[in-house]
């Protein structure tokens, strides 16, 4: 099936229209017309080959919301007309120890990313959500709570699960002081979730223009992280800090804010290594962890939680023709707080 899409042909040129081939629907597959696709900073890291792992052409997009247009014979838990989501993964073995624990992101045979991943069925690489439609195994298709605004719910498919999973794993709850570093796509959803879990939430931002918004989004306190006088009163006081920053920054400045046994979990993936002052861990037996999205079961749990608590992203809806400008703004931290592409704007390639 030929489908319209937007692709990067190399690391330096802008994204532009192309047409691509989607596989014929198999018996386990759900065929989805894409309505909205969120723009994650990982799309930008990948398109610009900042992680040095991109194969071109690259069609990003892993915050997909769409309408089911057809289902395979064994995919009848979905039906034509259903509103569904697809996140960062589209395949995994589902039989290894990690898959059996609902941690498909750590599939021992290697999961298939929604884009820029070897496509085990079609050959070549997978193509993501900056496109008209997608065909996905039912095991990787999520149900979207009915009353959520669809465009604003799209970012939950990556930003939502990537923040929900470490907050839950670290039992963030009432009575805890929790920091969120970076108020971008992930960070602003993280604030809403940590608040919904009952924590006292402190946002660390480099952007003074985001202070008011941070409070509106639910933060109890906001700290301009470049101001040492604002950082100092928070030394040794946090239970948990979630670091969503996409670029080089000093993680030691946050580690020392943790109390005894506190944990800082890194979800941002800057292209270059960060330096670690081991003393910031040793004093206070603090720990530093990473976290990668979340499994499908937990993603559905997150969506249902967001449905119940009416949590979605604050978005700027853009036509796909504005995607290159949106990337330039992401680099400048000028995002309030997630760009979402209205896929109705997609036109056929000439
Ligand atoms: P984003 O919307 O661009 O937000 C990143 C935020 O980090 C910015 O808004 C800014 O917040 C802060 N920031 C940027 N440059 C900075 C710098 N030089 N120093 C300090 N702070 C800076 O990005 P996103 O989509 O939320 O993604 C964030 C990161 O998470 C990316 O690296 C992405 O690849 C990664 N990611 C990881 C996973 C995972 O599973 N681990 C999943 C999705 C994304 P302020 O303006 O508030 O300072
Ligand atoms: Zn993402």
């Amino acid at each position: 099936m030929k489908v319209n899409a937007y692709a990067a042909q190399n690391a330096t040129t802008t994204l532009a229209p192309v047409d691509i081939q989607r596989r014929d629907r198999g018996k386990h597959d759900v065929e989805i017309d894409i309505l909205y696709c969120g723009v994650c900073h990982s799309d930008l890291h990948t398109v610009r080959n900042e992680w040095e792992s991109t194969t071109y052409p690259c069609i990003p997009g892993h915050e997909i919301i769409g309408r089911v247009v057809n289902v395979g014979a064994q995919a009848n838990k979905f039906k034509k007309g259903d509103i569904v989501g697809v996140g960062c993964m589209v395949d995994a073995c589902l039989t290894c120890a990690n898959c059996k624990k609902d941690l498909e992101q750590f599939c021992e045979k290697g999961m298939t990313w929604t884009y820029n991943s070897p496509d085990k069925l079609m050959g070549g690489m997978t193509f993501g959500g900056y496109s008209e439609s997608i065909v996905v195994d039912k095991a990787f298709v999520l149900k979207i709570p009915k009353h959520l605004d669809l465009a604003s719910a799209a970012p939950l498919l990556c930003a939502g699960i990537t923040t929900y999973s470490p907050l839950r794993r670290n039992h963030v709850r009432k009575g805890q002081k929790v920091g969120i570093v970076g108020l971008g796509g992930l960070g602003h959803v993280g604030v809403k979730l940590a608040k919904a879990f009952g924590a006292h939430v402190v946002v660390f931002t480099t952007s003074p223009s985001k202070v008011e918004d941070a409070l509106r989004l639910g933060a109890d306190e906001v700290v301009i992280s470049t101001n040492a006088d604002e950082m100092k009163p928070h030394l040794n006081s946090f239970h948990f800090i979630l670091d969503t920053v996409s670029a080089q920054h000093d993680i030691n400045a946050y580690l020392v804010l943790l109390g005894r046994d506190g944990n800082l979990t890194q979800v941002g993936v800057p292209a270059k290594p960060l330096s670690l002052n081991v003393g910031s861990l040793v004093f206070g037996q603090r720990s530093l962890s990473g976290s990668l999205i979340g499994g499908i079961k937990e993603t559905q749990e997150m969506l249902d939680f967001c449905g119940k608590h009416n949590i979605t992203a604050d978005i700027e809806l853009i036509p796909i023709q504005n995607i290159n400008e949106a990337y330039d703004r992401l680099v400048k931290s000028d995002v309030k707080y997630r760009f979402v592409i209205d896929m109705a704007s997609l036109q056929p390639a000439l």
Side-chain angles (χ1 to χ4, degrees), residues 40-42 45 51 158 162 182-187 204-207 210 244-249 267-270 291-293 330 333 335 338:
C40 180
H41 206 112
S42 301
H45 287 307
W51 292 329
C158 173
T162 302
L183 198 66
L186 267 56
F204 294 92
T205 181
T206 58
S207 306
K210 295 181 181 174
T244 75
V245 174
S246 52
Q248 293 313 106
H249 63 294
V267 285
V269 189
S291 190
L292 180 68
I293 52 173
L330 267 190
S333 302
V335 52
R338 194 57 138 189

Side-chain angles (χ1 to χ4, degrees), residues 218-250:
D220 297 286
E221 298 178 63
V222 189
V223 172
I224 304 291
S225 52
T226 47
N227 182 338
D229 290 340
E230 288 193 33
M231 294 288 274
K232 209 169 162 197
H234 293 281
L235 283 171
N236 302 309
S237 67
F238 281 86
H239 292 91
F240 178 71
I241 297 177
L242 187 67
D243 185 335
T244 75
V245 174
S246 52
Q248 293 313 106
H249 63 294
D250 179 17

Side-chain angles (χ1 to χ4, degrees), residues 228-301:
D229 290 340
E230 288 193 33
M231 294 288 274
K232 209 169 162 197
H234 293 281
L235 283 171
N236 302 309
S237 67
F238 281 86
H239 292 91
F240 178 71
I241 297 177
L242 187 67
D243 185 335
T244 75
V245 174
S246 52
Q248 293 313 106
H249 63 294
D250 179 17
I251 50 168
N252 305 293
Y254 298 101
L255 287 170
V256 295
L257 303 186
L258 293 169
R260 179 176 54 79
D261 289 326
N263 172 269
L264 184 148
T265 293
Q266 188 69 43
V267 285
V269 189
K272 301 243 164 58
L274 302 177
S275 76
L276 173 67
N277 177 350
V278 174
S280 349
L281 290 180
V282 168
F283 289 90
Q285 54 190 22
R286 302 161 172 134
S287 66
L288 171 64
S289 314
S291 190
L292 180 68
I293 52 173
I296 293 296
K297 186 176 171 205
E298 195 178 33
T299 305
Q300 190 63 61
E301 176 190 307

Side-chain angles (χ1 to χ4, degrees), residues 55-102:
T55 302
Y56 297 94
C58 172
I59 295 166
H62 59 204
E63 293 183 338
I64 299 168
I65 289 215
R67 183 175 287 116
V68 173
V69 287
N70 243 319
V71 295
Q74 288 176 29
N76 54 9
K77 72 171 184 174
F78 296 100
K79 61 178 190 313
K80 192 174 168 185
D82 283 355
I83 296 294
V84 294
V86 177
C88 301
M89 299 182 279
V90 288
D91 203 4
C93 82
L94 304 183
T95 57
C96 74
N98 286 340
C99 283
K100 284 217 150 92
K101 286 199 165 123
D102 297 305

